[in-house]
Amino acid sequence: MLCPTCRAVMIVVEQDKIELDYCTDCSGVWFDSGELELMLEKMGLDSSALSIAKLTGSPQAETLEKKRRCPICGRKMKKINLGKKPKVLIDVCPRGDGLWFDGGEVHQIIEQCRGKPGSGADSENRVLTFLGDAFKAEGQSDLPR
Ligand SMILES: [Zn+2]
Ligand SMILES: [Zn+2]
């Protein structure tokens, strides 16, 4: 699959049976629909807020960012804002194929899924560990320790 941002060939990263497509050039991550929810569920975080139907139904965000095409069906993806503060701008396929996160946005999303009673900072740590393990092979060393 080609990166919707920079057109580099993405690599498949498998972690905990979840397959993500990762661009080593721009650190963007593609989640097939369901994979994001699966990841959040595994982390014990609330995944209902991130269901694909809900995301594709969200209002188009106002932004000057260039539209990107879905790496699966080639349609222009919709820009939507996730969360409240700060908002995270992600791209979602209008057919619901999946979601695209620019490098760094995944962490922002995770931040916003915290705050459930009993999860807290520990969930974030688990997600960071998950992503850290998944992307360790790329020599990324900018994850906070
Ligand atoms: Zn890229
Ligand atoms: Zn698509």
Side-chain angles (χ1 to χ4, degrees):
M1 210 174 345
L2 295 182
C3 172
T5 302
C6 65
R7 308 256 154 223
V9 177
M10 294 194 284
I11 60 161
V12 174
V13 177
E14 190 182 329
Q15 178 73 10
D16 245 355
K17 298 200 172 75
I18 299 172
E19 284 189 359
L20 310 174
D21 293 276
Y22 175 66
C23 177
T24 56
D25 279 17
C26 68
S27 303
V29 182
W30 171 260
F31 287 84
D32 280 338
S33 63
E35 282 170 349
L36 179 66
E37 291 176 30
L38 192 59
M39 182 181 88
L40 293 170
E41 273 168 30
K42 280 177 183 278
M43 299 300 143
L45 302 175
D46 181 18
S47 62
S48 59
L50 289 176
S51 75
I52 193 81
K54 200 163 195 168
L55 294 176
T56 55
S58 298
Q60 174 97 267
E62 285 180 33
T63 174
L64 297 175
E65 249 186 49
K66 239 174 96 180
K67 293 225 174 177
R68 297 174 182 136
R69 289 182 183 275
C70 172
I72 293 179
C73 69
R75 291 178 199 218
K76 280 188 179 164
M77 292 194 280
K78 189 172 172 180
K79 303 260 180 206
I80 60 166
N81 281 314
L82 269 193
K84 300 215 164 57
K85 44 177 175 159
K87 285 182 180 168
V88 180
L89 191 65
I90 66 164
D91 299 85
V92 58
C93 167
R95 290 201 321 177
D97 291 326
L99 314 172
W100 174 253
F101 295 86
D102 286 325
E105 286 176 346
V106 174
H107 291 200
Q108 294 179 52
I109 298 291
I110 301 305
E111 286 279 334
Q112 296 184 9
C113 292
R114 286 194 303 157
K116 293 271 149 194
S119 52
D122 184 52
S123 300
E124 186 196 0
N125 284 336
R126 273 182 287 159
V127 171
L128 286 176
T129 304
F130 178 95
L131 291 173
D133 286 350
F135 302 137
K136 201 154 42 187
E138 306 328 305
Q140 298 266 315
S141 56
D142 54 347
L143 289 173
R145 297 234 150 240

